Amino acid sequence: MLVSLHVKNLALMEEAEVEFGAGLNILSGETGAGKSIIIGSINLALGEKVPREMLREQAEYALVELIFRVENEEQRKLLAEMDIFPENDEIIMSRKITASRSVGKINSETVSASCMKKAAALLIDIHGQHEHQSLLHKKKHLEILDEYGKEQLEGKKKVLKQRYQEYQSIKEEMQRALTEGEGRERELSFLEYEIQEIESANLVPGEDEELEISYRKMANHRKIMEAAGTAYEMTGGDGSATELIGRALRELQTVTGYDSSLEGMEGQLEEIDSLLNDFNRELSGYISGEEFDEETFSAAEKRLDEINHLKDKFGGSLEAVLQAKEERQLKYSRLKDYEEYMAGLETRLAKAEEALKKVSSEVSKIRKKYAKKLTKQIREALIDLNFLDVEFDMEFQETKDYTANGMDEAEFLISTNPGEPMKPLGRVASGGELSRIMLAIKTILAESDQIETLIFDEIDTGISGRTAQMVAEKMNVIGRNHQVICITHLPQIAAMADYHFLISKNVINNVTISNISLLDENESVTELGRMLGGVKITDKVMESAHEMKELARTVKKSQK
């Protein structure tokens, strides 16, 4: 669960620290007090994009830090697969933001935003203010179903994606073949010319490198001979290094009998004399053995030109040229035996389609099985949320063509009045109804996913009265098995809080600052009074606030 949130220099928040508890955590406050900053800061810490305006005016940097306690073994296992390991059962996720960049860290180790998002998805589920609007799109309905049934669907969908890619690859190859077939004779002639051009060169792998070395040596033959000749003169003959070292050795030999310490140096000089004589003989042999042949040089130059021309034309290396020949030979064979090749493609396509159809059917069967379970659970949850005579189902249709997701097109259907036919969810549900439907779905997915922390940002949009009370009771039920953090403007929901936080806005030295504080029992009742009464909080309003709090206590006891 989310243990604490630390925010610094973010929008109206100068610095704030919140310690959340288990169960239902409620955040309330007047409009504009900064409630959205809390959700925004959590989103930032979890890898979302950073709007420039989020950085507090005049501040050098902003910081958001979240501490999670991880006790669920399944979560530990999934985090370990990402090389993330809790320390003392805790994971610290932070984001430091400056005007030019932001740095995300998990347990003090710098990570990418995508890594933070992936890790966060295992720990927390955030329902934003407008997320329920996504239920207006059919695509979202299938995503919800697949998420619900992922235990059986995940492996099958990987196979489905692979089969679809194989099928598409053969279709694309067939399309290319049809295009190639249109100018078949001309293409065959051109391919034959290019294959012959490469084959006639009789290329040998590595030949170009050997030729380059040989050519460079022949091109610089005169320079090499001049340098070798000069070196030979300096090391052999009159006045050379060999003569001088020989004389020096003879001089030493005349006096080593008088001083034994010179014997070592005499030995060294003998070795130098011997090495220099050996070098001189070797260099002499090299000079006498080296001959420049104009015909050989010309042939090497011509061969290099031929090889380099082919390299320039077919890919830049000898390996690329030989590869180009193989590709052209394959293409030539295809076009030469075009009818046979097309028949082979059609056979392969039929097999690929059969395999794709089979796995698509298997995926569809699993989806339909889970759809019955999911819609039944959603209907039960909706009844808890004051949809008294609701019917809820899922309708399947086949897509015109195969997709990476199979051939299923699915859509939620709903009827909220007795005797009324079920219609597509997106066409009949109001904003408030969509909000409650998404609450029901989130609750069910959280159970199957074992996500510990759920955050709801004004899930109560468009509801009031008895419905608000039932949403509050549902929130309390969810809070028994999950940590729930909820921003609300409804007193019925706030009254159910296990922990009630107030977000307030103050002006200090002409600077607006938002603060967040945990309310005690009496302060919570006072805040309920403000939520009930608005500007003028009368004794009657406070009496209603006390009554609402007492009613919430009674409900919480009955739901245990």
Side-chain angles (χ1 to χ4, degrees):
M1 72 174 198
L2 179 58
V3 177
S4 73
L5 164 68
H6 179 209
V7 181
K8 188 170 183 178
N9 296 329
L10 206 63
L12 298 178
M13 291 280 180
E14 189 173 50
E15 187 157 20
E17 184 135 8
V18 193
E19 292 191 1
F20 295 107
L24 183 56
N25 295 258
I26 293 294
L27 283 73
S28 65
E30 292 183 10
T31 302
K35 296 191 294 296
S36 60
I37 298 170
I38 298 297
I39 302 300
S41 63
I42 291 172
N43 273 318
L44 289 184
L46 302 180
E48 293 295 330
K49 287 184 179 178
V50 185
R52 287 188 177 181
E53 61 272 17
M54 287 294 279
L55 186 62
R56 188 171 170 78
E57 287 286 334
Q58 319 265 305
E60 291 182 12
Y61 70 92
L63 175 70
V64 185
E65 185 177 79
L66 305 178
I67 300 177
F68 291 92
R69 184 178 298 118
V70 183
E71 294 169 341
N72 183 294
E73 286 306 314
E74 183 63 23
Q75 283 181 330
R76 282 177 177 274
K77 181 185 170 186
L78 293 169
L79 288 165
E81 288 173 7
M82 297 176 64
D83 289 328
I84 298 170
F85 302 94
E87 297 173 8
N88 299 320
D89 291 334
E90 289 184 345
I91 284 179
I92 300 172
M93 300 180 75
S94 66
R95 192 100 173 265
K96 188 174 182 180
I97 303 140
T98 64
S100 58
R101 65 193 292 250
S102 70
V103 178
K105 293 186 177 184
I106 298 179
N107 289 349
S108 302
E109 186 176 328
T110 302
V111 296
S112 65
S114 61
C115 178
M116 292 192 84
K117 283 183 183 178
K118 192 175 176 184
L122 303 173
L123 300 168
I124 195 167
D125 184 17
I126 300 179
H127 177 83
Q129 285 187 47
H130 307 294
E131 191 183 343
H132 57 271
Q133 296 293 329
S134 64
L135 288 175
L136 296 172
H137 306 292
K138 284 197 293 185
K139 184 182 175 185
K140 182 68 177 177
H141 302 181
L142 197 60
E143 285 175 14
I144 290 167
L145 175 61
D146 285 0
E147 181 65 23
Y148 178 72
K150 70 178 179 182
E151 187 178 348
Q152 281 192 36
L153 279 170
E154 204 164 27
K156 284 287 182 187
K157 283 184 72 178
K158 282 181 182 175
V159 176
L160 170 61
K161 187 178 179 182
Q162 187 182 338
R163 296 286 176 270
Y164 176 72
Q165 287 171 343
E166 289 166 359
Y167 173 73
Q168 283 296 106
S169 176
I170 297 169
K171 274 187 78 174
E172 286 166 11
E173 188 179 346
M174 185 174 273
Q175 187 56 51
R176 284 195 301 271
L178 287 169
T179 305
E180 287 171 358
E182 290 171 6
R184 188 175 153 210
E185 292 302 323
R186 186 177 66 254
E187 185 71 5
L188 276 169
S189 175
F190 184 64
L191 286 169
E192 193 172 11
Y193 168 77
E194 288 195 320
I195 292 164
Q196 182 59 38
E197 184 181 21
I198 298 171
E199 281 186 339
S200 63
N202 294 316
L203 299 173
V204 179
E207 177 189 6
D208 54 337
E209 293 172 8
E210 290 178 14
L211 265 175
E212 286 281 0
I213 293 167
S214 176
Y215 176 77
R216 193 163 57 246
K217 180 181 173 182
M218 285 188 283
N220 291 284
H221 181 266
R222 180 179 293 175
K223 192 174 182 179
I224 293 168
M225 288 298 103
E226 284 177 358
T230 303
Y232 179 74
E233 288 174 8
M234 289 178 173
T235 55
D238 292 340
S240 68
T242 305
E243 184 186 5
L244 292 171
I245 288 169
R247 283 168 57 189
L249 180 59
R250 288 192 292 277
E251 287 294 329
L252 268 182
Q253 286 171 340
T254 61
V255 294
T256 49
Y258 306 118
D259 188 352
S260 59
S261 63
L262 291 170
E263 288 175 1
M265 286 182 272
E266 181 192 348
Q268 288 177 17
L269 204 55
E270 279 180 347
E271 192 174 344
I272 291 168
D273 185 52
S274 176
L275 283 169
L276 198 55
N277 277 304
D278 289 346
F279 167 78
N280 200 248
R281 281 192 296 276
E282 207 171 314
L283 186 59
S284 175
Y286 173 83
I287 292 168
S288 60
E290 283 297 317
E291 291 182 6
F292 177 77
D293 183 60
E294 188 68 44
E295 197 174 312
T296 305
F297 176 68
S298 179
E301 189 173 40
K302 186 178 177 184
R303 179 63 171 166
L304 262 181
D305 285 344
E306 182 183 20
I307 290 171
N308 287 333
H309 167 71
L310 291 173
K311 281 162 68 173
D312 289 343
K313 187 175 179 180
F314 296 108
S317 70
L318 216 53
E319 290 74 18
V321 176
L322 294 170
Q323 178 67 30
K325 186 185 83 170
E326 284 183 26
E327 288 170 1
R328 279 153 179 76
Q329 284 174 330
L330 280 172
K331 191 173 180 181
Y332 184 85
S333 297
R334 284 202 307 266
L335 290 173
K336 193 74 175 169
D337 306 311
Y338 186 70
E339 286 76 14
E340 187 182 333
Y341 170 61
M342 286 301 291
L345 271 181
E346 284 166 9
T347 303
R348 283 172 59 205
L349 187 65
K351 283 183 180 177
E353 185 174 2
E354 189 180 337
L356 178 57
K357 185 178 181 180
K358 183 175 180 291
V359 72
S360 293
S361 177
E362 289 168 357
V363 166
S364 186
K365 191 175 178 182
I366 296 168
R367 279 175 174 153
K368 285 168 184 172
K369 180 183 77 173
Y370 274 101
K372 287 179 182 178
K373 294 181 184 178
L374 176 61
T375 52
K376 183 175 180 288
Q377 283 185 266
I378 292 174
R379 182 179 176 275
E380 289 167 358
L382 290 177
I383 290 169
D384 291 341
L385 292 168
N386 209 29
F387 284 85
L388 301 180
D389 294 296
V390 68
E391 292 298 326
F392 200 85
D393 205 351
M394 193 167 210
E395 183 181 66
F396 283 83
Q397 290 182 341
E398 273 197 3
T399 56
K400 289 180 182 178
D401 299 305
Y402 291 102
T403 72
N405 211 16
M407 292 197 73
D408 286 327
E409 205 169 67
E411 186 172 23
F412 288 131
L413 303 177
I414 192 169
S415 168
T416 54
N417 298 305
E420 200 175 77
M422 284 196 286
K423 295 177 182 177
L425 179 64
R427 294 219 303 264
V428 296
S430 66
E433 287 173 332
L434 285 173
S435 186
R436 281 183 284 157
I437 293 165
M438 184 58 94
L439 171 59
I441 290 167
K442 288 278 183 179
T443 307
I444 293 161
L445 291 182
E447 292 293 345
S448 63
D449 239 357
Q450 297 186 324
I451 293 173
E452 290 189 16
T453 301
L454 301 173
I455 295 183
F456 295 106
D457 183 7
E458 299 194 8
I459 193 75
D460 48 28
T461 303
I463 62 172
S464 58
R466 176 66 183 144
T467 301
Q469 181 59 37
M470 296 191 80
V471 169
E473 290 175 18
K474 187 66 174 175
M475 285 283 189
N476 181 59
V477 171
I478 302 168
R480 281 162 34 204
N481 299 311
H482 298 81
Q483 180 192 44
V484 178
I485 298 169
C486 177
I487 290 178
T488 186
H489 65 273
L490 290 181
Q492 292 96 325
I493 294 175
M496 286 285 184
D498 295 307
Y499 299 88
H500 191 171
F501 297 90
L502 175 65
I503 301 171
S504 57
K505 185 169 65 174
N506 301 293
V507 178
I508 301 170
N509 297 326
N510 294 320
V511 177
T512 304
I513 294 174
S514 285
N515 293 300
I516 182 165
S517 55
L518 177 62
L519 305 178
D520 62 24
E521 185 77 8
N522 291 329
E523 289 168 335
S524 180
V525 172
T526 302
E527 171 62 4
L528 290 180
R530 182 200 65 78
M531 296 171 83
L532 282 164
V535 177
K536 194 172 182 181
I537 303 173
T538 63
D539 291 342
K540 192 74 175 173
V541 168
M542 287 308 296
E543 189 180 321
S544 296
H546 278 287
E547 189 180 338
M548 186 171 278
K549 194 69 177 176
E550 190 56 43
L551 174 64
R553 267 193 288 267
T554 304
V555 169
K556 287 167 83 73
K557 283 179 185 176
S558 69
Q559 289 183 331
K560 280 186 178 176

